[in-house]
Amino acid sequence: MAVDAADLSRARESRAAIERLYVEMRHLLNSGSIKSLGAPGDTITNALMTLRPEIYGSLVDPEKVELDGLVYVIDRLPKGIEECRFIKLVSEEGYSASHFEVSIPASRRRSCYRIDKDHMFIEVTRGRSDVYDILTHLTFLFIEARKIKEHALDENREPRIEWIKLRKIIKGEAIINEANREVALTYLSTILGRTFEATKNAFSRMEAHSTKNNGLFHIVYWLGKLAIEEENEGKSREISFSPTLRTRIGHHIYGERWANNIKQFLLENNLLSRPLHIISANLHSVMNSLYAWAAIRDSELKKNGIEGLVLELSKEENSDLGEKIKRYALKHGMYELQASSSTHISVQIFDTAKVDWDKVAPSLLVSKSKIMEERPVMVVMDYAFGEQAYETMDELLKPYEPQGAKHNMPVKSISIMGKAGILEGGKGDIMVPNGHIFEGTADNYPFENDFRIEDFQADYEGNVLEGPMITVLGTSLQNRDVLAYFKHSSWQTIGLEMEGAHYQKAIQAQAKIRKNISDKVILRYAYYASDNPLVTGGTLASGSLGAVGVRPTYLITKKILTKILGPTSTILKSRKKGETIPSPGVVSVKN
């Protein structure tokens, strides 16, 4: 499908907006601060309005407050941020040892500190991707706050009756209970310019994370209150960056510390001389795939095999079983390195020589003779965030040199499993990339993926796609026109994610330039779809995957483990030199 001139023009305009945002945010990081009133703030606001990111829905509609986007953003920012006029992004500067209570958002691993009623400090230790993420979220809040202000005031700039009633609720003069909640939601829907149904849904979604936010009524009131004070009293809101953060950003201070902790543990436990397999994935899937079958004795839970068991484990009423599995795992070859407050990336290390392979799930194909001969060690790292992927992988692959002794990392394979946006299909579908396109740069990273469509199609009922993927600056900056261009043009991309090019940049530098690891290291990338930003209502803001993500997560995990631990006969051979690679975007559908 060709890209017509109008679509191409919109895509170019949107890409230019992304570049302006990228340049302006880097400039602001260097300059030190930004106010919601004034040129820098207006530049970011205008660029975001031009871009119209899909995840922010009705951002450009002056009549409607974007509720899905608001829930998404509040889940990623600290509790009480709507009350704060001064927001400061800091490095790791000792606040963890202070009396300030740490606040970690519901859906983003960030340590945040409420200093007083006006000041919120957010610790940034995962690189520029974290900065861009926070700045775009805050800019979104400023835009929506102005809409709330306009709905709260009449043509004479006096408060409307709905705003007065909301103020009474927040000040405790009116109590919300079951009897009057729908009346209060009706007032709120008027202020938001949204339907009663949409308002009620947003209220319920925020209630699900009620310990991590102050609730929809409180958030809307304070966003509007500060916007009104901004207009009437000139009290602009300000985002600033500490000098320490500006000095440290881009350096591998936290990644080096994190990687050396892993290497020290491997050396002290005599694991650094054995074949090493690095896996980037969530921390439950590998552990459960290896140990759940042995740790859980309940035959009823196991009647549908390992897949049925992990689906049962994902249910809230079975949350205690996860701890039971972990206790078993820690006695049979698994080690756990907790994340520091700087990286927020925990690590599990698996000594395969200590696993009881007679007790793993029958569907997990392993070769005991191969395992006992090679005695591989698996290092499983939790998901990195954007640019942090480069920092952590680059440092992990470097030789370990304590007291002058040099120990090269004996890496045999690197497997990356992740969530990603899909451009053809829906939630839960699987993507197998053959290259990463780095958005906003001229950097492209083709590679030979040891995974192929054939690895998944026989075992999966959904779509499996193969082709290049875009590594984006942030999920918050994605625009329908740009994504449609990448999908329908000669790029023929199948999805978008935030870490692939960063990982590949580190791997290629260490293997092909620095020669710290073998250039024959096997690479495996596979993603499952968390959203489709080209489908209305299909973005991440629409809600979590839930059980839909369990099947692809464990299928990809099983395939990774089979590649590492299975008999040779179960492993698809890599394509021969000169063998045709399927066209980008090729889809396998299991009916």
Side-chain angles (χ1 to χ4, degrees):
M1 178 178 175
V3 180
D4 64 34
D7 291 338
L8 185 58
S9 177
R10 287 194 297 271
R12 285 172 175 165
E13 181 184 29
S14 299
R15 291 189 71 184
I18 292 174
E19 289 174 8
R20 284 199 303 276
L21 278 165
Y22 180 67
V23 170
E24 188 63 29
M25 287 191 290
R26 290 197 69 151
H27 169 69
L28 291 170
L29 181 58
N30 293 329
S31 65
S33 67
I34 170 179
K35 291 190 175 183
S36 57
L37 294 175
D42 290 343
T43 300
I44 291 184
T45 297
N46 293 336
L48 202 63
M49 296 284 277
T50 299
L51 182 60
R52 289 185 277 186
E54 294 305 306
I55 208 161
Y56 292 151
S58 56
L59 177 75
V60 298
D61 189 333
E63 299 299 322
K64 293 181 179 179
V65 173
E66 168 52 35
L67 290 179
D68 282 345
L70 182 62
V71 174
Y72 178 85
V73 165
I74 290 298
D75 273 354
R76 284 153 180 80
L77 292 173
K79 182 176 183 178
I81 196 159
E82 69 279 359
E83 302 175 0
C84 297
R85 285 182 51 223
F86 302 100
I87 299 159
K88 191 169 188 176
L89 276 57
V90 301
S91 182
E92 191 178 54
E93 300 177 26
Y95 292 104
S96 60
S98 71
H99 70 277
F100 300 118
E101 183 179 353
V102 64
S103 172
I104 298 178
S107 300
R108 193 69 88 219
R109 293 170 292 186
R110 296 184 176 117
S111 296
C112 309
Y113 303 91
R114 181 76 176 267
I115 305 304
D116 56 32
K117 69 182 184 65
D118 291 321
H119 290 78
M120 179 72 76
F121 283 15
I122 302 177
E123 214 168 64
V124 175
T125 57
R126 298 188 293 174
R128 293 187 184 91
S129 298
D130 230 5
V131 174
Y132 304 151
D133 195 57
I134 294 166
L135 284 179
T136 51
H137 288 340
L138 291 175
T139 303
F140 166 82
L141 286 184
F142 294 166
I143 293 170
E144 299 307 302
R146 289 168 187 163
K147 294 182 192 177
I148 294 168
K149 175 195 69 176
E150 292 304 316
H151 294 160
L153 303 178
D154 62 21
E155 59 274 11
N156 297 317
R157 313 312 285 167
E158 294 295 327
R160 296 183 187 274
I161 185 64
E162 291 85 3
W163 183 255
I164 294 171
K165 289 183 178 293
L166 177 60
R167 183 166 57 200
K168 288 182 177 179
I169 291 171
I170 299 305
K171 290 186 174 182
E173 297 173 21
I175 305 299
I176 301 176
N177 53 40
E178 290 296 327
N180 66 7
R181 178 174 294 158
E182 292 191 343
V183 175
L185 285 170
T186 301
Y187 297 145
L188 191 61
S189 67
T190 302
I191 294 169
L192 295 171
R194 299 302 299 267
T195 65
F196 173 80
E197 181 182 16
T199 305
K200 186 176 181 180
N201 182 53
F203 173 81
S204 298
R205 288 181 63 189
M206 283 195 180
E207 282 291 290
H209 290 155
S210 57
T211 61
K212 298 289 187 177
N213 67 67
N214 286 322
L216 186 61
F217 287 95
H218 189 280
I219 289 164
V220 170
Y221 173 75
W222 275 93
L223 287 176
K225 180 178 185 293
L226 293 186
I228 291 170
E229 290 177 354
E230 186 177 64
E231 178 181 304
N232 294 341
E233 304 172 35
K235 293 181 177 179
S236 62
R237 288 155 291 183
E238 181 177 312
I239 307 167
S240 60
F241 309 91
S242 76
T244 305
L245 174 65
R246 290 156 58 199
T247 300
R248 289 179 177 176
I249 202 81
H251 297 283
H252 290 191
I253 296 169
Y254 307 113
E256 182 180 27
R257 185 190 306 166
W258 172 85
N260 282 341
N261 188 38
I262 297 169
K263 295 170 190 177
Q264 180 182 351
F265 181 89
L266 292 172
L267 183 63
E268 290 175 351
N269 288 274
N270 299 315
L271 300 175
L272 200 52
S273 60
R274 289 157 57 179
L276 195 64
H277 298 268
I278 297 171
I279 303 171
S280 173
N282 59 66
L283 293 185
H284 60 77
S285 61
V286 175
M287 179 182 71
N288 287 344
S289 296
L290 291 178
Y291 299 110
W293 198 257
I296 304 301
R297 302 291 181 87
D298 190 335
S299 58
E300 185 65 22
L301 291 175
K302 296 162 69 171
K303 66 181 181 181
N304 294 318
I306 185 65
E307 186 178 79
L309 176 57
V310 297
L311 283 170
E312 290 295 325
L313 292 174
S314 68
K315 296 178 180 178
E316 189 174 345
E317 61 265 28
N318 292 325
S319 58
D320 60 315
L321 296 179
E323 284 302 313
K324 184 175 182 179
I325 295 168
K326 182 187 286 189
R327 289 194 297 271
Y328 177 88
L330 291 171
K331 295 177 181 178
H332 294 83
M334 187 184 88
Y335 304 93
E336 195 170 45
L337 305 183
Q338 294 296 335
S340 66
S341 61
S342 53
T343 63
H344 292 280
I345 300 179
S346 297
V347 171
Q348 294 168 339
I349 296 173
F350 296 88
D351 181 353
T352 60
K354 295 183 178 180
V355 178
D356 187 343
W357 295 106
D358 290 322
K359 294 183 179 179
V360 298
S363 59
L364 183 61
L365 300 177
V366 298
S367 169
K368 288 191 288 184
S369 59
K370 175 184 174 182
I371 292 167
M372 297 316 295
E373 179 184 349
E374 298 179 2
R375 302 172 73 238
V377 174
M378 297 185 294
V379 175
V380 180
M381 56 183 285
D382 205 353
Y383 295 126
F385 183 73
E387 190 180 59
Q388 187 189 35
Y390 171 71
E391 177 178 342
T392 50
M393 188 62 73
D394 187 58
E395 292 298 328
L396 186 57
L397 298 181
K398 287 179 181 178
Y400 184 44
E401 302 184 44
Q403 291 84 45
K406 184 176 180 179
H407 303 270
N408 284 322
M409 299 295 285
V411 180
K412 300 302 178 184
S413 75
I414 300 172
S415 302
I416 310 295
M417 175 178 73
K419 293 185 293 186
I422 198 167
L423 301 180
E424 182 70 42
K427 293 183 178 183
D429 289 344
I430 291 175
M431 290 161 280
V432 182
N434 54 32
H436 289 106
I437 302 162
F438 205 165
E439 182 188 51
T441 75
D443 300 336
N444 303 308
Y445 296 91
F447 60 92
E448 184 176 347
N449 193 347
D450 192 51
F451 275 143
R452 299 161 63 176
I453 278 183
E454 295 88 341
D455 284 302
F456 301 100
Q457 64 184 156
D459 300 318
Y460 197 57
E461 297 176 354
N463 296 337
V464 185
L465 290 80
E466 184 172 20
M469 295 182 70
I470 317 164
T471 296
V472 299
L473 294 174
T475 54
S476 305
L477 297 179
Q478 294 323 295
N479 163 275
R480 180 185 296 268
D481 300 316
V482 173
L483 296 176
Y485 165 77
F486 275 113
K487 176 186 174 185
H488 296 303
S489 70
S490 57
W491 288 109
Q492 294 190 13
T493 52
I494 59 173
L496 60 146
E497 47 76 54
M498 284 187 64
E499 291 79 33
H502 295 292
Y503 277 133
Q504 199 57 31
K505 176 183 174 183
I507 294 165
Q508 289 188 9
Q510 294 292 347
K512 298 183 182 298
I513 299 174
R514 294 176 172 177
K515 307 293 185 182
N516 286 329
I517 60 172
S518 170
D519 60 3
K520 294 182 173 57
V521 167
I522 297 169
L523 303 180
R524 304 182 187 97
Y525 286 82
Y527 299 88
Y528 59 93
S530 57
D531 64 299
N532 186 334
L534 293 183
V535 175
T536 301
T539 69
L540 285 171
S542 64
S544 65
L545 268 175
V548 175
V550 174
R551 293 183 187 277
T553 297
Y554 278 87
L555 177 59
I556 295 171
T557 302
K558 184 173 80 169
K559 296 300 182 180
I560 290 172
L561 294 176
T562 299
K563 292 276 191 177
I564 296 170
L565 307 170
T568 305
S569 60
T570 67
I571 302 173
L572 288 169
K573 295 179 180 179
S574 298
R575 292 187 180 94
K576 297 176 182 178
K577 188 174 182 179
E579 184 180 348
T580 302
I581 296 175
S583 300
V586 64
V587 181
S588 168
V589 182
K590 180 80 171 179
N591 292 319

